[in-house]
Amino acid sequence: MEKIRIICENTGSSIDTEMGTSLLDIVKGLGAGGKYPFLAAYVNNRIKELNYRVYTPVTVRFIDITHFEGYRVYQRTASFIMQAAVREVCPGHRFYIRHSLGDGFYCEIEGEREISQARCDEIAAAARRIVADNLTITRRKVLTTEAREIYERLGFDDKTVLLETRPRLYSEIYTMGDIAGYFYGALAPSTGYVEAFDIRPYYNGFYLALPKRSDISKIDTAIHLDKMFDIFHEYQTWVNIMGVPTVGSLNEKVLGGDASELIKIAEAFHEKQLGQIADTIAEANSSRGVRMVLISGPSSSGKTTFAKRLGVQLRVLGLNPVLISLDDYFVEREKTPRDEKGDYDYEALEAIDLAQLNEHLKRLAAGESVAIPRYDFITGKRQWHENPLQLDERSILIMEGIHGLNPRLTPSIPDKLKFKIYISCFTSVAMDNLSRIPTTDNRLLRRITRDYATRGSNAYATIARWGSVRRGEEIHIFPYQENADVMFNSSLFYEISVLRPFVEPILREVPDTVPEYGEASRLLKFLDNFTPVKPDEIPPTSLLREFIGGSSFKY
């Protein structure tokens, strides 16, 4: 039989193998194993399952759980196993993975109002039997009519609706024993790859704990994210009431001509939330003398537009908001700290001129007039505003930036004078009952769209930087999120449908010769599930306008 050459990036070596050899057999022949088992591989920079068979010469890069996408493979496989375990323990009851939480998932079972530790132990035991049986997970392409019949037979109407609203002749399904599922990403080749997990009761359901991203050898079942859970739960309840809990149901509404109404409702909900937060700040100003609002959140969460809209709401209440961006206090570029790769680390707290920032805050609090810097991202130098800032008795200083909730940022200001807000894009619409849409995907789509339009950055460059941005968030933002007085969900349940026509052509520009092509391809496949929505009726003050353009705010 004809031989083909396989180049392995992990080992820097190559082997000649027979056509049709699976990636599983290739990795065995290469002896490329590491501390953790490989879960999937990039073949010519496109993600593939390990049971994928190779018929032409290719370059392969195997990934394990320590890789960003490898971790997601582990998550998806674990959710598939949990689906089968719950079906065994609670037959006839629907299983829901409601949202991500920390390094795991919050799950619920239909009809189970409160899940005991004993019930969790039953589910965990069933899941471990499935893992021990090492059941093969197979992906296959079938006629969409056949896929719908399979899902209807299993009672998966959420998946059926998704297939009906994205008309395709063929669809891909995953099977594991007599269970079928739909996932918008690769899975491990069998259940035996998911050995590390734990299950504990949590609120009305249970918490599926998975290995910590920061230390794969550990599992943390003690989560302390009550404020984040509350915001997730609030929005999950709301999208259920709106009738758009999943992408399939959202597509149905759009195809039915309800996009305009959805936009109005989502924007009104944001406005109501902003009004309530402004009321709370005004009360805190009156009762304990709050003079500073600190806004923190990860990249592309919408901090800038949120700050401007909050300022409008505070003006309605008779207050005088004054806005400052932490980005303007970056040290000059040559003084910026560098990360382990030698690149500038703009996410580090030390990238901020803390001494000058706190000096300015003290002077503003004392009623002085202060000249505020403006950072030029092109030159890496500071400029200065022509008009200095000065606070009066009605002034509220609003300061937004990724380090807003870090106590080391403003040690000169007493805590009683601060009101802290955490904002992020907690995506509330799910792909289906088992497949959550990671908030990082939503934020990345926003950033690709904005960077391309306003910062001259293509999708390749944005994706290439995203790993560094994410590492910075893990270190500098997420540990402080529960310090917030309030949290705000900046996601709009219609927004990915609007982003799709903006971001698709940008993603298609990523060449298949670079590693970032794999992520671009995955995002394109993900976007294919959404029925596009035109942006015409999105108001100019919408938070989404920060990313797609057309905002009435100046940035």
Side-chain angles (χ1 to χ4, degrees):
M1 183 177 290
E2 183 181 348
K3 297 276 189 174
I4 54 174
R5 174 150 294 187
I6 309 298
I7 300 172
C8 178
E9 293 184 7
N10 304 77
T11 62
S13 62
S14 64
I15 62 170
D16 294 325
T17 187
E18 294 180 352
M19 294 176 60
T21 303
S22 72
L23 293 175
L24 267 175
D25 290 333
I26 290 171
V27 77
K28 291 174 185 175
L30 286 164
K35 183 177 179 180
Y36 300 103
F38 291 126
L39 296 167
Y42 284 97
V43 177
N44 293 345
N45 294 319
R46 188 186 288 269
I47 192 74
K48 298 293 183 183
E49 281 90 0
L50 292 183
N51 52 21
Y52 175 79
R53 295 184 179 277
V54 179
Y55 292 91
T56 59
V58 294
T59 298
V60 178
R61 183 172 71 258
F62 294 97
I63 59 173
D64 62 22
I65 192 173
T66 62
H67 186 277
F68 179 73
E69 183 59 24
Y71 192 87
R72 287 189 171 180
V73 172
Y74 195 94
Q75 286 181 314
R76 295 185 201 108
T77 310
S79 68
F80 205 11
I81 291 169
M82 208 53 52
Q83 174 189 351
V86 170
R87 186 175 181 228
E88 177 184 327
V89 175
C90 306
H93 293 256
R94 291 191 182 187
F95 173 54
Y96 300 91
I97 295 180
R98 291 299 189 190
H99 49 73
S100 59
L101 201 63
D103 293 306
F105 295 107
Y106 170 67
C107 310
E108 291 182 344
I109 301 173
E110 184 182 48
E112 301 256 346
R113 300 285 297 178
E114 184 175 338
I115 297 179
S116 65
Q117 184 61 58
R119 177 65 89 190
C120 286
D121 291 342
E122 285 184 83
I123 297 169
R128 291 193 174 97
R129 285 194 297 272
I130 293 168
V131 170
D133 289 342
N134 199 25
L135 301 177
T136 299
I137 298 173
T138 303
R139 182 180 68 132
R140 58 195 180 99
K141 183 176 287 188
V142 301
L143 286 167
T144 299
T145 52
E146 181 184 345
R148 282 204 300 265
E149 290 172 2
I150 292 171
Y151 292 146
E152 286 171 357
R153 188 165 62 249
L154 292 170
F156 298 158
D157 56 337
D158 53 320
K159 295 177 175 61
T160 303
V161 172
L162 180 59
L163 293 180
E164 289 174 345
T165 58
R166 47 178 297 277
R168 302 288 185 275
L169 182 58
Y170 283 87
S171 295
E172 293 174 343
I173 66 170
Y174 288 85
T175 56
M176 177 181 67
D178 61 348
I179 293 284
Y182 172 79
F183 298 90
Y184 69 97
L187 273 69
S190 64
T191 59
Y193 286 75
V194 181
E195 294 182 335
F197 63 88
D198 203 350
I199 300 174
R200 297 293 173 86
Y202 195 73
Y203 283 79
N204 296 326
F206 66 84
Y207 179 61
L208 170 60
L210 298 174
K212 292 173 65 66
R213 290 180 179 88
S214 56
D215 186 351
I216 298 301
S217 65
K218 296 179 181 178
I219 295 178
D220 187 6
T221 57
I223 51 173
H224 306 286
L225 298 170
D226 293 342
K227 291 176 183 176
M228 179 172 286
F229 178 85
D230 288 343
I231 202 79
F232 265 124
H233 190 67
E234 176 187 13
Y235 274 76
Q236 185 68 56
T237 301
W238 186 61
V239 296
N240 283 333
I241 293 172
M242 293 298 102
V244 288
T246 63
V247 174
S249 56
L250 175 64
N251 289 343
E252 276 192 321
K253 295 276 189 181
V254 172
L255 292 169
D258 294 333
S260 174
E261 187 71 7
L262 290 176
I263 291 171
K264 291 182 178 70
I265 293 171
E267 294 292 341
F269 189 71
H270 263 191
E271 199 64 38
K272 182 178 181 181
Q273 297 290 98
L274 278 155
Q276 291 173 344
I277 292 172
D279 289 342
T280 305
I281 293 170
E283 193 281 327
N285 170 259
S286 175
S287 63
R288 57 186 175 95
V290 161
R291 298 295 303 279
M292 176 185 290
V293 175
L294 295 167
I295 302 170
S296 175
S299 174
S300 302
S301 55
K303 297 182 292 295
T304 304
T305 302
F306 174 84
K308 292 179 181 294
R309 288 180 64 176
L310 180 63
V312 173
Q313 291 286 345
L314 290 171
R315 287 189 181 92
V316 171
L317 299 174
L319 295 170
N320 178 28
V322 177
L323 275 62
I324 291 179
S325 171
L326 279 179
D327 287 358
D328 286 330
Y329 282 88
F330 274 135
V331 297
E332 296 200 343
R333 186 161 294 153
E334 64 270 15
K335 297 180 181 178
T336 303
R338 294 179 182 268
D339 61 20
E340 65 278 2
K341 295 181 179 179
D343 298 326
Y344 288 120
D345 186 1
Y346 290 106
E347 277 70 45
L349 182 63
E350 291 72 22
I352 302 293
D353 188 341
L354 296 176
Q356 183 161 73
L357 171 65
N358 280 274
E359 179 195 349
H360 284 182
L361 293 178
K362 280 183 179 179
R363 290 173 57 193
L364 285 168
E368 295 183 33
S369 175
V370 179
I372 299 296
R374 174 176 289 278
Y375 188 78
D376 187 325
F377 281 89
I378 296 175
T379 65
K381 302 287 185 181
R382 288 185 190 171
Q383 300 173 348
W384 297 89
H385 287 287
E386 294 181 1
N387 299 319
L389 294 184
Q390 189 169 17
L391 306 183
D392 58 32
E393 67 278 0
R394 294 188 301 108
S395 294
I396 295 284
L397 185 65
I398 300 177
M399 191 159 62
E400 60 92 3
I402 66 172
H403 298 290
L405 303 189
N406 188 332
R408 292 173 54 207
L409 179 72
T410 54
S412 63
I413 307 298
D415 277 348
K416 69 175 184 178
L417 302 182
K418 304 174 189 174
F419 189 90
K420 299 182 284 293
I421 300 172
Y422 181 78
I423 172 175
S424 191
C425 182
F426 302 118
T427 314
S428 45
V429 175
M431 187 63 69
D432 55 46
N433 291 340
L434 291 178
S435 301
R436 314 312 303 165
I437 297 174
T439 61
T440 184
D441 278 2
N442 203 155
R443 292 191 291 113
L444 178 54
L445 292 171
R446 285 179 171 185
R447 180 157 174 162
I448 290 170
T449 306
R450 182 191 63 192
D451 285 4
Y452 189 85
T454 66
R455 301 183 182 181
S457 181
N458 56 29
Y460 159 69
T462 301
I463 293 171
R465 286 195 300 267
W466 192 241
S468 175
V469 171
R470 293 278 293 130
R471 286 190 294 274
E473 293 167 353
E474 294 282 350
I475 298 170
H476 302 296
I477 302 176
F478 299 153
Y480 305 105
Q481 59 195 14
E482 287 290 312
N483 292 345
D485 293 297
V486 298
M487 288 190 177
F488 179 81
N489 185 356
S490 70
S491 75
L492 294 150
F493 56 68
Y494 68 82
E495 72 172 270
I496 297 180
S497 300
V498 171
L499 287 169
R500 177 180 173 180
F502 283 89
V503 75
E504 276 184 329
I506 307 172
L507 288 168
R508 290 196 181 102
E509 292 179 4
V510 178
D512 63 5
T513 55
V514 298
E516 290 73 22
Y517 177 76
E519 181 68 351
S521 297
R522 184 188 67 82
L523 289 171
L524 284 167
K525 182 179 179 182
F526 163 62
L527 289 165
D528 189 50
N529 292 287
F530 291 81
T531 300
V533 169
K534 293 182 179 180
D536 303 8
E537 295 199 44
I538 300 174
T541 56
S542 172
L543 193 143
L544 191 56
R545 288 288 179 188
E546 180 178 335
F547 305 97
I548 65 172
S551 177
S552 57
F553 292 115
K554 294 181 180 179
Y555 296 100

